[in-house]
Amino acid sequence: CNRQVFDENFLMAVATIGAMALALYEDGDYTEGIAVMLFYQVGEWFQSYAVGRSRRNISDLMDIRPDYANLVGADGKWQKVHPDAVAVGSAILVKPGEKIPIDGVITDGTSTLNTVALTGESLPRKVGKGDEVISGCINTTGLLHIRTTKAFAESTASKILKLVEEASSRKSKSENFIAKFARVYTPIVVLAAVVLALVPPLVRMAGMGLAPEWGTWIYRALTFLVISCPCALVISIPLSFFAGIGGASREGVLIKGSNYLETLSEVDTVVFDKTGTLTKGVFEVTAIHPEKINPQELLHLAAHVERFSTHPIAASLRSAYKHEADDCRVEDVEEIAGRGVRAHVNGKVIYVGNEKLMQDVGAAWHPCEQSGTIVHVAIDGEYAGHIVVSDVVKEHSAEAIAALHRTGVKKTVMLTGDTKAVAEQVAAALKLDDVYSGLLPQDKVAKVEALLKEENDGRKLAFVGDGINDAPVLSRADVGIAMGAMGSDAAIEAADIVLMDDDPLKISTAKRIAQKTMRIVHQNIVFSIGVKAIVLVLGAIGLASMWAAIFADVGVMIIAVLNAMRALFV
């Protein structure tokens, strides 16, 4: 069926038929022939079981595929349609217990989402109005009204399923070697067995004048064939990688092929983008430094002045001040380009912006020692203080860096377009080995190129990013790792590995899985070849029976398959 005549099935078939024929010719004892078939079937069962376990971990992802969407019409009524029929910008309804069919933004309702199939994270995620949601999550509690932001084919669930389907097509160097080895090895073994069956008897008969003993040498040749079956290698090596990919998917790490799993195990340097990768990519108020008024009053004035701005900094100020709907009068709001905002609040003129705005109004401002974006505030031209707004480091980022070093990563680097002060503060907090700031997308590629030239001894470089500007760098690195939950489509497409919950700690998990998988692969290669070499020699000189041959083939295969199954567990 696979168009390959000389494979392990051919060797086993010849050995079994030969053993049966010898039994019929000599003493009628079919035990050895039956044992060859029986134990081979036992080995096949172990292989099927292991593949099934691996496939279940990957096929769990298939549960994210939505079957329908509840499309809401202009009249407010909804109907079930295929997700393909839902256009971008449509209103859909997701009831409790249903899968979110298409990526979108919640327009009404609150609920908790089960994201375990996507991220491997069992803790439910709370969502409400204005939150982005991705397809494949299961709505567990409340009714959600969602405005779609992508077509079904471009949604997260569809893209993940496509990546899963393509994963098995990318073979590792070890798998490719074993496949080529088996194609060359099997014909050589068959030829060697024929020589072993014919040459010694003919030599005895022609050169020494002795009886040829055909039965003895044919038996040895058949034993030689059984011993030399490459089952353990051709089955356990691909299975090891398959199990590793399956185990990773259970942890919320999607690896697009066994070649990337093998390369990840050799990674020596990990390079990170900052925003959205090591940090949340969301600005928050991290400090308030007033001059003559209390901190809450300073935040109150800044939030009111920035009430109508769409800038991320303004959004962070409004988010920090929860009492926007008070009785303050905010009038004559004016945005000053490149400076900030001016407004009248309860009759006073409030200025909120950068140091240039403070200089323009004559406010005696002073710099802040903390890193971040500094928002200065003046009241009627008199300096009132400043607020520090900065990107917040993810909870597990520091732990992720430490965990990577424990897996053998020697160098961790951060590349960012942010200012030097902010970059160095983040790098110091996370204990990174090196940091480069003020970089444009093309500068990041150049820096990765330079780091790749420094790599030696077969070690590899991985880049971790999430933005559309990270796509070129992800493609250039030996291994590209993308944040999958809220990362850009371009980054996910360009990456070799996708973290489904954007947790940088999963990088070390993926590397541990890769290292464990490669250890298992090497163990199986050494064990399989070592045992076969010893028993082959013994079989050729007549010291190994068919039972020893069965162990050397099927027994070794069962042990190798059971060893390969360990890759399923982290």
Side-chain angles (χ1 to χ4, degrees):
C1 65
N2 59 6
R3 299 180 182 272
Q4 302 221 4
V5 177
F6 295 105
D7 61 6
E8 69 276 8
N9 297 303
F10 173 81
L11 297 181
M12 294 302 296
V14 171
T16 303
I17 294 170
M20 290 290 192
L22 278 177
L24 179 64
Y25 176 75
E26 292 180 344
D27 53 12
D29 184 2
Y30 299 100
T31 305
E32 290 181 340
I34 294 171
V36 172
M37 291 189 294
L38 177 62
F39 286 107
Y40 186 68
Q41 287 302 310
V42 171
E44 289 284 296
W45 181 85
F46 273 104
Q47 178 199 355
S48 298
Y49 176 77
V51 169
R53 284 292 303 269
S54 304
R55 197 177 294 278
R56 273 199 299 275
N57 284 334
I58 297 175
S59 64
D60 283 345
L61 283 174
M62 298 304 170
D63 290 338
I64 68 177
R65 187 191 299 276
D67 300 317
Y68 61 89
N70 300 317
L71 181 63
V72 180
D75 56 0
K77 295 180 180 179
W78 60 271
Q79 59 176 330
K80 284 187 178 181
V81 299
H82 192 277
D84 266 332
V86 180
V88 177
S90 299
I92 60 173
L93 189 69
V94 182
K95 294 180 284 186
E98 293 183 334
K99 300 184 187 76
I100 295 175
I102 302 171
D103 296 6
V105 177
I106 297 174
T107 57
D108 191 27
T110 58
S111 183
T112 54
L113 302 181
N114 180 347
T115 64
V116 68
L118 281 172
T119 67
E121 177 57 57
S122 57
L123 188 66
R125 174 190 165 202
K126 293 183 179 179
V127 293
K129 185 176 180 179
D131 288 337
E132 292 185 22
V133 290
I134 56 178
S135 54
C137 299
I138 299 174
N139 181 21
T140 58
T141 53
L143 186 68
L144 294 178
H145 294 263
I146 297 172
R147 181 74 60 185
T148 63
T149 55
K150 293 181 181 178
F152 175 63
E154 298 300 316
S155 285
T156 303
S158 298
K159 290 201 168 190
I160 291 172
L161 294 173
K162 182 181 177 183
L163 295 176
V164 170
E165 289 164 1
E166 294 174 350
S168 61
S169 64
R170 298 181 174 97
K171 303 295 184 184
S172 66
K173 290 180 289 184
S174 301
E175 284 181 286
N176 287 327
F177 169 75
I178 292 300
K180 293 176 182 177
F181 170 79
R183 284 198 295 270
V184 175
Y185 167 83
T186 306
I188 292 174
V189 164
V190 172
L191 181 60
V194 171
V195 170
L196 184 61
L198 298 179
V199 173
L202 292 174
V203 169
R204 282 175 59 89
M205 184 173 61
M208 304 172 66
L210 301 174
E213 297 183 353
W214 292 105
T216 299
W217 289 101
I218 290 174
Y219 181 84
R220 291 185 184 182
L222 292 171
T223 302
F224 182 89
L225 277 178
V226 175
I227 297 168
S228 59
C229 274
C231 299
L233 291 176
V234 300
I235 291 173
S236 69
I237 304 308
L239 179 60
S240 300
F241 286 107
F242 196 53
I245 291 173
S249 69
R250 188 173 59 186
E251 295 295 318
V253 179
L254 179 58
I255 301 175
K256 295 184 181 180
S258 55
N259 54 333
Y260 305 126
L261 190 72
E262 185 172 27
T263 304
L264 180 61
S265 70
E266 302 169 355
V267 164
D268 181 58
T269 301
V270 180
V271 181
F272 295 90
D273 173 51
K274 181 180 78 72
T275 306
T277 304
L278 293 174
T279 65
K280 294 181 179 179
V282 177
F283 287 98
E284 293 183 8
V285 172
T286 53
I288 304 173
H289 299 151
E291 292 287 304
K292 297 180 179 179
I293 58 178
N294 65 60
Q296 197 63 20
E297 179 64 17
L298 185 68
L299 179 62
H300 160 230
L301 291 173
H304 274 315
V305 171
E306 296 279 8
R307 177 184 294 180
F308 304 107
S309 174
T310 58
H311 193 279
I313 300 297
S316 67
L317 292 171
R318 293 195 302 272
S319 177
Y321 184 71
K322 304 295 184 182
H323 311 290
E324 187 178 340
D326 54 23
D327 57 358
C328 289
R329 295 193 328 275
V330 181
E331 302 168 317
D332 301 329
V333 179
E334 180 186 359
E335 190 158 343
I336 306 170
R339 300 290 197 272
V341 182
R342 177 180 60 202
H344 289 77
V345 180
N346 295 336
K348 295 182 178 180
V349 182
I350 310 298
Y351 299 88
V352 177
N354 56 26
E355 58 272 16
K356 293 179 181 178
L357 180 62
M358 296 299 105
Q359 290 170 354
D360 291 345
V361 302
W365 68 280
H366 57 81
C368 180
E369 295 180 356
Q370 287 189 233
S371 298
T373 300
I374 310 302
V375 180
H376 298 278
V377 180
I379 304 173
D380 291 335
E382 185 178 355
Y383 191 62
H386 55 258
I387 299 169
V388 182
V389 178
S390 57
D391 196 0
V392 179
V393 173
K394 289 183 178 179
E395 291 82 355
H396 295 153
S397 290
E399 188 181 352
I401 301 301
L404 279 172
H405 283 301
R406 289 196 295 271
T407 65
V409 170
K410 295 179 181 178
K411 189 174 184 181
T412 53
V413 182
M414 185 176 74
L415 308 181
T416 178
D418 215 332
T419 62
K420 183 178 180 180
V422 173
E424 289 182 347
Q425 183 186 36
V426 173
L430 301 182
K431 298 182 179 178
L432 293 163
D433 299 307
D434 216 340
V435 59
Y436 300 92
S437 58
L439 301 177
L440 297 172
Q442 59 267 31
D443 298 329
K444 290 183 180 180
V445 176
K447 184 57 64 176
V448 166
E449 293 274 7
L451 291 169
L452 283 167
K453 290 178 182 177
E454 297 174 10
E455 295 296 309
N456 49 36
D457 300 328
R459 307 302 292 181
K460 304 295 182 180
L461 178 145
F463 179 83
V464 190
D466 75 311
I468 192 168
N469 62 334
D470 294 325
V473 201
L474 287 164
S475 299
R476 182 61 192 91
D478 293 313
V479 181
I481 304 174
M483 299 293 170
M486 291 301 173
S488 75
D489 292 346
I492 294 171
E493 288 287 343
D496 308 313
I497 297 171
V498 181
L499 309 180
M500 295 315 303
D501 61 355
D502 290 1
D503 185 354
L505 192 57
K506 291 290 178 71
I507 303 168
S508 61
T509 301
K511 191 168 193 304
R512 288 202 314 275
I513 292 171
Q515 290 173 321
K516 183 176 182 178
T517 300
M518 292 311 302
R519 283 197 302 271
I520 290 170
V521 166
H522 295 148
Q523 289 166 3
N524 284 346
I525 290 174
V526 172
F527 176 68
S528 301
I529 293 177
V531 171
K532 283 183 182 295
I534 293 171
V535 183
L536 271 175
V537 173
L538 295 176
I541 61 178
L543 296 180
S545 67
M546 186 65 74
W547 293 104
I550 292 169
F551 169 76
D553 177 45
V554 181
V556 168
M557 180 185 74
I558 291 173
I559 294 171
V561 166
L562 291 174
N563 191 40
M565 287 179 66
R566 294 193 301 114
L568 283 167
F569 309 103
V570 184

